[in-house]
Amino acid sequence: MAGILAWFWNERFWLPHNVTWADLKNTDEATFPQAEDLYLACPLAFCIFMIRLVFERFIARPCAMGLKIQTNGPQKAQPNAILEKVFTAITKHPDEKRLEGLSKQLDWDVRTIQRWFRQRRNQEKPSTLARFCESMWRFTFYLYIFTYGVRFLKKTPWLWNTKECWYNYPYQPLTVDIHYYYILELSFYLSLLFSQFTDIRRKDFLIMFLHHVATISLIVFSYVNNMARVGTLVMCLHDAADVLIEAAKMANYAKCQILCNLLFAMFAILFISSRLGVYPIWILNTTLFESWEIIGPYPSWWVFNLLLIMLQLLHSFWSYLIVKTACRAISKGKLKCPRLSFITSDKTDDIPVSLSFNVAMLQFWAFKM
């Protein structure tokens, strides 16, 4: 185990030339990011999860009831042991041959069996009320963390001059604000990871699980490597659009279609301008060119920038999907939020698998970072 840890924490991979981990130990004069700092995120993630339960029960739910959001889930399929066994052990989407076999076995017509499977699949989807409460919780958190990020970053020199992200790197002291920002973001995504096993299981469970794992890994990577300054810029940039998308979801669940359309339009404009404009000009310019000029490349520098470039490619692809979806909807005379996977990610029956996968892959690389 000691050999594996020594290999993993190899200074020649993680740090610039002639810098060692010993150089980044905390002193009386300065505090630097330490891997063990992140242990605090685990108990804090549990606290956030408990806060979420209280928030959804005593704040989000009354708001949903006030908006007259449906409290009942989808219609339940009538109990049938044979069909239930097929559904749980064999397939949730039986083909024509299997449907005909079941029709003869049960003396039911094929259309009735198809209806049963459709109702049974819908049973596994959370109710509109549950989805609204979840979106309201995420909206509240994203609004808070984005507001905090803006208030904190506007006082920092690297917001106005990104070269400050690299001056004196990696000997940049860890401030209380950066530590709090990182720990809170990491704790939130750990809580999302935990809640996947307690929430109603969704069809994108595995993809979202990988997304949360990757997001957590990237946050940890940038913190341990003390690229926290540029990391705060990336997190704040990505949190901005998350606020609007969760607000659009809530409007959709409340059946406020005009508001939903307006919020989606705002989200699309903000997403495309920030991910195709601000991100490459502001973030990639400093991580690729300014950092090369000031500190030069080293192994983890290449990995970090490779991930950011892949993120840019996914930004471009998702922006194309947003524009394509909006143009198609406008040509038909209306823009309906429920058909967009990023508005209602649990309603993916009407959306190609490739679209759902690529949406998740965008989130996969995002620091959301």
Side-chain angles (χ1 to χ4, degrees), residues 23-39:
D23 297 331
L24 298 177
K25 290 294 183 183
N26 293 334
T27 65
D28 294 336
E29 292 77 24
T31 301
F32 300 103
Q34 306 293 319
E36 53 267 25
D37 295 345
L38 301 178
Y39 294 155

Side-chain angles (χ1 to χ4, degrees), residues 34 68 90 124 152 174 195 207 214 237 246 267 281 292 295 297-298 301 305 309 316 363 365:
Q34 306 293 319
K68 298 181 180 179
I90 302 176
E124 299 193 334
F152 150 61
L174 177 69
S195 66
I207 292 176
L237 181 66
E246 295 301 334
F267 160 77
I281 294 173
W292 181 292
I295 64 173
Y298 54 97
W301 180 94
N305 278 286
I309 291 171
S316 301
Q363 298 170 325
W365 293 112

Side-chain angles (χ1 to χ4, degrees), residues 82-203:
I82 295 175
L83 295 181
E84 185 67 29
K85 184 177 181 180
V86 173
F87 183 87
T88 56
I90 302 176
T91 178
K92 297 180 180 180
H93 298 271
D95 55 24
E96 185 176 347
K97 183 177 180 181
R98 190 177 298 278
L99 287 171
E100 291 176 355
L102 291 170
S103 176
K104 294 177 181 178
Q105 183 178 359
L106 297 172
D107 195 24
W108 288 10
D109 62 84
V110 172
R111 185 177 295 274
T112 301
I113 297 175
Q114 289 176 325
R115 186 184 305 112
W116 188 95
F117 274 94
R118 184 169 58 254
Q119 291 175 346
R120 184 63 182 83
R121 288 194 299 269
N122 289 337
Q123 279 182 219
E124 299 193 334
K125 295 180 180 180
S127 66
T128 303
L129 176 64
R131 294 197 296 267
F132 178 89
C133 292
E134 178 183 323
S135 289
M136 188 171 179
W137 161 248
R138 295 193 184 195
F139 168 80
T140 304
F141 176 84
Y142 288 137
L143 181 62
Y144 168 74
I145 201 66
F146 175 69
T147 303
Y148 175 83
V150 170
R151 292 183 62 185
F152 150 61
L153 285 171
K154 71 180 184 181
K155 298 180 291 185
T156 63
W158 60 88
L159 176 67
W160 314 105
N161 179 13
T162 51
K163 288 185 178 181
E164 292 287 344
C165 292
W166 313 108
Y167 290 147
N168 198 37
Y169 177 85
Y171 304 107
Q172 297 167 341
L174 177 69
T175 66
V176 174
D177 287 326
I178 293 177
H179 181 259
Y180 175 78
Y181 198 14
Y182 260 81
I183 293 297
L184 195 59
E185 287 271 15
L186 179 59
S187 301
F188 177 71
Y189 284 104
L190 282 172
S191 73
L192 292 183
L193 186 68
F194 300 154
S195 66
Q196 275 200 289
F197 297 94
T198 59
D199 291 343
I200 298 173
R201 189 142 180 148
R202 300 183 181 181
K203 65 187 301 180

Side-chain angles (χ1 to χ4, degrees), residues 283-351:
I283 301 297
L284 291 184
N285 177 64
T286 190
T287 60
L288 285 171
F289 304 111
E290 293 178 350
S291 64
W292 181 292
E293 176 186 341
I294 296 171
I295 64 173
Y298 54 97
S300 66
W301 180 94
W302 289 103
V303 174
F304 186 67
N305 278 286
L306 177 62
L307 295 178
L308 293 178
I309 291 171
M310 292 179 67
L311 177 58
Q312 179 59 61
L313 296 175
L314 291 167
H315 284 165
S316 301
F317 181 72
W318 202 12
S319 297
Y320 163 75
L321 293 179
I322 291 173
V323 173
K324 182 180 178 181
T325 303
C327 290
R328 185 187 300 122
I330 291 172
S331 66
K332 294 180 179 179
K334 59 181 179 179
L335 178 61
K336 294 199 70 175
C337 292
R339 292 293 181 183
L340 304 174
S341 64
F342 35 80
I343 294 289
T344 52
S345 59
D346 45 287
K347 290 187 175 182
T348 53
D349 286 336
D350 298 322
I351 300 165

